[in-house]
Amino acid sequence: MTHPATVPSYDRLPIIDLSAAGRGPQARALLHAQLHSAAHDVGFFQLVGHGVPTAEADALIRATRAFFRLPEADRLALDNVNSPHFRGYTRDQLDLGAERPVRVPVPGEPAYWWLEGPNQWPAALPELRTAALTWIDRLSAVARRLLHELLTAIGAPADFYDPVLGEHAHPHLKLVRHPGSGGVGRRAAARKDHGFLTLLTQNHDVPPLERAFVVNLGELLEVATGGYLIATDHRVVSPPGATERFSVPFFYNPRLDARIEPLPFPYASAAPGVTDDPANPLFAEYGHHELKGKLRAHPLVAERHHAGLLTPA
């Protein structure tokens, strides 16, 4: 499961009810006040009232469980080292994205176009494809609504980032098995997500609210607001003992060729600013930032398919 490094427990996270946006001016104003505070002060919150059908969530979790119960040979057949698009299976996780045709960059085109392409699907589990692609579409719509309300909450144009999202956005879905650590929980290094928003669903009751998503802000929103909105460091924690759990984080990312403009909003003067780093994702197309992360996270894929992109040691 995912824990924010600076937030002690899920039951202390702010609760945001997205359905309040449609319940009249007073309810929407309260929603905006709560959302503003959660995004500025914490960077994490629980999202309810999102309208995602329970049946779709159940289908996704069932398919996730079924995938990790397939014979190891079936899972290894989807090894992500087979995919120049960084899609597929690695130990205890399956990386998926929007199902698109292969786009091989021609000379002069950015290498990040390698990130677009098809997923790898298990032939023995056709329902996984249906559940996962339905989920990507459903959560893309939820994230878009949430981003609109968040930008409105801080006085920015709600549709400011619409041109870099929409049907050409670059969503990312992970199916993750946490097998249990046999003792205390194992923690991965703390990190921030690259994109706009991450929506996490889990198969257990750590969030006290049924069907709540745990939402964290991504690095793009932090950088685009000069640090006014917080992309909190967080980490994956394997559960203690023999407990097996599953989680499905969904990453709402812009199109690969997007240049993310700084957000115009009235609180910009109160923003603390962010480090003037040449790797700042506002300095170039988003795809360069995303590809850099993939090459670092999946060295075997990088060596097999993209050796020419690697920096010599």
Side-chain angles (χ1 to χ4, degrees):
M1 61 187 175
T2 302
H3 282 287
T6 57
V7 179
S9 65
Y10 283 123
D11 60 2
R12 298 185 187 181
L13 292 181
I15 298 168
I16 302 297
D17 183 355
L18 189 56
S19 68
R23 294 205 297 267
Q26 186 172 356
R28 192 174 185 220
L30 178 58
L31 165 67
H32 289 163
Q34 295 169 335
L35 193 51
H36 187 156
S37 176
H40 174 57
D41 298 327
V42 183
F44 271 81
F45 52 88
Q46 291 197 74
L47 186 72
V48 298
H50 44 68
V52 175
T54 298
E56 291 181 5
D58 289 343
L60 182 69
I61 291 298
R62 280 197 308 270
T64 299
R65 284 181 176 274
F67 173 75
F68 288 105
R69 280 159 176 61
L70 288 174
E72 184 179 31
D74 287 6
R75 286 179 275 126
L76 290 176
L78 311 183
D79 194 320
N80 79 341
V81 77
N82 300 323
S83 170
H85 322 295
F86 298 88
R87 311 287 178 87
Y89 177 69
T90 56
R91 182 182 176 185
D92 289 326
Q93 70 180 42
L94 182 68
D95 284 284
L96 303 167
E99 188 75 19
R100 291 179 181 148
V102 174
R103 179 167 178 182
V104 177
V106 300
E109 281 193 322
Y112 58 64
W113 288 119
W114 277 113
L115 298 176
E116 288 207 343
N119 296 294
Q120 297 191 77
W121 301 107
L125 194 64
E127 59 267 36
L128 177 61
R129 178 187 176 116
T130 300
L133 293 181
T134 297
W135 197 252
I136 287 172
D137 288 345
R138 181 72 68 178
L139 262 63
S140 292
V142 171
R144 182 177 185 273
R145 287 168 49 213
L146 176 59
L147 182 61
H148 278 195
E149 298 301 333
L150 173 58
L151 296 187
T152 301
I154 63 170
D159 61 354
F160 187 77
Y161 290 121
D162 281 6
V164 302
L165 293 164
E167 63 178 323
H168 297 293
H170 188 72
H172 178 203
L173 185 69
K174 276 184 183 287
L175 311 184
V176 185
R177 173 180 175 261
H178 307 280
S181 61
V184 297
R186 289 178 291 129
R187 294 183 170 228
R191 59 177 176 77
K192 296 180 181 181
D193 296 328
H194 293 323
F196 280 111
L197 296 165
T198 301
L199 282 69
L200 175 71
T201 189
Q202 304 173 96
N203 77 314
H204 54 92
D205 295 327
V206 172
L209 301 175
E210 187 176 5
R211 300 305 179 196
F213 293 118
V214 176
V215 178
N216 65 274
L217 276 59
E219 188 178 17
L220 284 183
L221 282 177
E222 181 175 79
V223 176
T225 61
Y228 186 80
L229 298 182
I230 300 174
T232 308
D233 284 322
H234 59 283
R235 53 171 54 89
V236 174
V237 181
S238 293
T243 305
E244 180 184 59
R245 294 173 178 168
F246 301 93
S247 65
V248 185
F250 169 80
F251 306 91
Y252 190 51
N253 303 325
R255 52 191 295 159
L256 292 171
D257 58 353
R259 284 185 175 267
I260 309 302
E261 298 294 330
L263 188 68
F265 69 112
Y267 301 95
S269 62
V274 292
T275 304
D276 187 15
D277 183 349
N280 185 320
L282 301 191
F283 290 171
E285 291 96 339
Y286 172 75
H288 291 300
H289 191 60
E290 183 72 6
L291 179 60
K292 179 182 175 182
K294 296 291 189 188
L295 293 170
R296 183 171 56 244
H298 301 286
L300 296 181
V301 178
E303 289 169 13
R304 172 178 283 194
H305 299 285
H306 306 297
L309 303 178
L310 300 176
T311 303

